[in-house]
Amino acid sequence: MTIRAEIFGGPEERKTRLLVRKKPKQAEVTALTDVVIAREESRRTDMRHEDRPLAERKALQVTFRSRRHHALVVNLSGGGAMIAAKFTPNIGERIHLHLAENDVIECVVRWVKDEHLGLEFAHETKLDCNEEKKETVLRDAVSRMPCEIAMLPVAPEPANDRSADRHPLIWSGQLRSGQHTCPVRLRNISSTGALVQCDRSLRDGADVILDLGDGCDLPAKVRWVVGDLAGLQFAEPFELEQLSMCKPRVMSHTWVRPAYLESDVSAESAWDGPWNRMSLNELRAQLEGFLKH
């Protein structure tokens, strides 16, 4: 018997070997999700529970600087999208994604790399109706909010053209499909349908019920699905005035710059630009002015 066989064991796996095989200290890593990486700081925004779903490079049209362009969706979720396009916008410029014939979502450019653009979706719920009906819905919704919320103090801002500003209200509800129920967020809504954000996978053509609360149940059919966004078509026309009965939440009227940009981006950068959303007080003042005329 050689010294090597005595130490490491020979073909017969001698029990007298001096070195015993050690078990691995760490379980086998089978995927990236098995590796835990410590976070340097706490999250500053609400994050998705799942990875952003791929859109399989779906072709669609976008409106940029009043012109239509063709683009490919690389991935898409409720908060934003990455698209591939032949034009090069500036950071902070607005782009409209045409997800379907009448379903358009407004975006702002957050980053540009080669032919890929990172887009952030507008946060408020868009009301697809005439201005008079929109004023009525918003006025009634604000009047139903608690006084301590509606009268929050607002920091002074530089004077600018408020005509392009949008309201800060976001409506949400529940979507029922068979025995399943999941929370949804209304991206836009009209008398004939709605664009909703839903984490659950929906089937194109499925019959669903959109529950906006306070007994407002809207039977609908799923017309299309892209990522976690879905277009619904109502079975019967919906009176938007009923939306004021449902309680929306208030979105901040400024965009919070990510922490990784704080050290190397000046305050004058386009990354610092707000979405030009009105605060709740500004919305209230505008609606009161509307009533006086």
Side-chain angles (χ1 to χ4, degrees):
M1 175 64 65
T2 63
I3 296 179
R4 179 179 179 85
E6 183 69 23
I7 295 176
F8 295 100
E12 300 177 356
E13 293 291 335
R14 298 175 59 90
K15 296 182 180 180
T16 58
R17 67 177 183 270
L18 301 180
L19 297 182
V20 181
R21 292 190 180 91
K22 294 183 178 180
K23 296 182 179 180
K25 294 182 179 180
Q26 183 176 346
E28 183 180 358
V29 176
T30 58
L32 289 177
T33 53
D34 295 330
V35 181
V36 179
I37 301 176
R39 185 176 297 277
E40 295 181 357
E41 63 176 28
S42 60
R43 296 184 188 274
R44 300 183 58 172
T45 57
D46 292 336
M47 305 298 290
R48 293 175 46 84
H49 297 294
E50 300 176 356
D51 292 336
R52 180 169 296 183
L54 297 178
E56 298 180 354
R57 301 191 72 85
K58 177 180 175 63
L60 49 70
Q61 288 190 326
V62 300
T63 300
F64 172 61
R65 296 178 184 173
S66 301
R67 295 184 58 184
R68 288 286 189 99
H69 301 266
H70 294 285
L72 294 176
V73 180
V74 179
N75 57 44
L76 181 146
S77 73
M82 178 169 67
I83 67 172
K86 295 296 184 181
F87 58 89
T88 305
N90 298 317
I91 292 177
E93 286 197 89
R94 306 293 171 85
I95 290 178
H96 291 81
L97 291 183
H98 298 261
L99 300 176
E101 182 178 356
N102 296 318
D103 289 319
V104 181
I105 188 166
E106 185 179 3
C107 315
V108 65
V109 179
R110 287 307 183 195
W111 57 263
V112 179
K113 184 177 181 180
D114 299 327
E115 294 185 351
H116 291 84
L117 314 176
L119 307 179
E120 179 191 4
F121 292 159
H123 296 283
E124 73 283 351
T125 299
K126 180 181 177 182
L127 307 179
D128 289 334
C129 58
N130 58 51
E131 291 298 322
E132 184 176 358
K133 182 173 292 187
K134 182 192 298 183
E135 298 280 2
T136 301
V137 173
L138 295 177
R139 183 187 66 242
D140 292 346
V142 172
S143 66
R144 297 175 189 277
M145 291 184 173
C147 296
E148 60 269 20
I149 296 180
M151 297 306 294
L152 286 175
V154 179
E157 295 182 352
N160 60 355
D161 182 12
R162 311 300 301 186
S163 62
D165 292 358
R166 298 177 302 272
H167 68 83
L169 304 183
I170 300 175
W171 274 271
S172 59
Q174 300 284 329
L175 193 67
R176 300 199 299 268
S177 176
Q179 302 297 322
H180 302 285
T181 301
C182 63
V184 296
R185 171 177 173 175
L186 269 66
R187 286 293 176 180
N188 64 51
I189 186 169
S190 68
S191 60
T192 59
L195 171 59
V196 300
Q197 171 192 342
C198 178
D199 290 337
R200 184 181 297 275
S201 298
L202 298 175
R203 178 174 54 84
D204 191 2
D207 293 322
V208 297
I209 296 179
L210 178 61
D211 180 4
L212 298 179
D214 294 323
C216 185
D217 292 345
L218 305 175
K221 183 180 291 293
V222 179
R223 293 191 293 110
W224 57 265
V225 178
V226 179
D228 58 1
L229 298 178
L232 307 182
Q233 181 178 10
F234 297 146
E236 297 180 357
F238 171 60
E239 294 293 337
L240 281 180
E241 287 80 358
Q242 298 182 43
L243 196 61
S244 62
M245 303 293 293
C246 310
K247 297 179 181 179
R249 63 186 179 93
V250 181
M251 180 67 191
S252 173
H253 66 293
T254 57
W255 174 72
V256 179
R257 185 171 58 205
Y260 60 82
L261 290 176
E262 290 181 350
S263 60
D264 55 5
V265 176
S266 65
E268 292 76 19
S269 170
W271 281 93
D272 225 19
W275 263 97
N276 292 326
R277 289 185 292 270
M278 288 182 287
S279 66
L280 195 58
N281 267 357
E282 291 169 333
L283 175 60
R284 188 187 187 97
Q286 185 185 79
L287 295 173
E288 289 176 350
F290 170 77
L291 294 176
K292 294 177 182 179
H293 289 80

